[in-house]
Amino acid sequence: MNTKDISLTAVIAALYAAIVIILAPISFGPIQLRVADALIPLAALLGLPAVYGVALGALVANTYWFLSPIDIVLGTAANLVAGYLIYRYKDRVVFASLIASVVIGVVVGGYLWLFFPPPSILGVQLPAWLGMIISITLSSILAITGIGLALLRLLEGSGYLDQFKA
């Protein structure tokens, strides 16, 4: 990585962490909308600096709002994998963003049920692990595929980030 890539990684990490921390009431818990996950699709445009940035941002945010070492390690890993999938399959970014959302939902939902009671899904009380996985996956789809792809399209169309492309 060159200086530009390291700087871009740092900026994305700081932006991700700041958004999560500022929006903490909706960024943590059994029902969450991590708006900062909308930055993950930027990996399709900005490459590996965005992948590393969203992972480092999750590390900082999850350390700040300490729940458990499990959350710090697995939450960071989930963002790293999600970002890499979008980077790797940037030619099929909608499909990649859906898969990235499922990865985050399965990984994060797969351990959050240990710390929070799961939400009921459409009035149905599912097993704790399944309810949490579904809840986190749905919110990730909204953040990554909904908001994130809209942000990606907006930035692609503007040409503003051309100087940062990988």
Side-chain angles (χ1 to χ4, degrees):
M1 291 182 78
N2 59 32
T3 305
K4 179 182 86 170
D5 290 343
I6 293 169
S7 299
L8 186 56
T9 299
V11 167
I12 292 171
L15 186 58
Y16 185 97
I19 293 169
V20 170
I21 292 166
I22 289 168
L23 298 177
I26 64 169
S27 295
F28 297 98
I31 299 176
Q32 59 178 259
L33 177 60
R34 202 167 259 207
V35 177
D37 280 354
L39 299 174
I40 295 173
L42 293 181
L45 184 63
L46 302 174
L48 291 175
V51 174
Y52 301 141
V54 295
L56 287 172
L59 175 71
V60 170
N62 290 353
T63 301
Y64 175 82
W65 193 274
F66 185 78
L67 176 64
S68 160
I70 294 169
D71 186 40
I72 293 169
V73 172
L74 293 181
T76 301
N79 270 26
L80 182 66
V81 170
Y84 183 77
L85 286 169
I86 291 175
Y87 165 70
R88 173 69 175 82
Y89 298 103
K90 61 186 160 203
D91 295 332
R92 299 182 345 172
V93 72
V94 173
F95 173 74
S97 70
L98 288 170
I99 297 303
S101 299
V102 171
V103 166
I104 290 176
V106 169
V107 172
V108 176
Y111 67 78
L112 270 189
W113 69 273
L114 299 169
F115 304 101
F116 299 105
S120 65
I121 308 293
L122 299 174
V124 177
Q125 194 63 40
L126 300 170
W129 60 271
L130 182 59
M132 196 65 77
I133 287 172
I134 290 171
S135 173
I136 301 301
T137 299
L138 291 174
S139 70
S140 292
I141 289 170
L142 178 59
I144 296 170
T145 307
I147 302 168
L149 289 183
L151 176 64
L152 180 66
R153 298 295 182 229
L154 180 70
L155 291 173
E156 282 178 332
S158 73
Y160 181 72
L161 294 179
D162 288 343
Q163 61 186 331
F164 299 109
K165 285 186 182 177

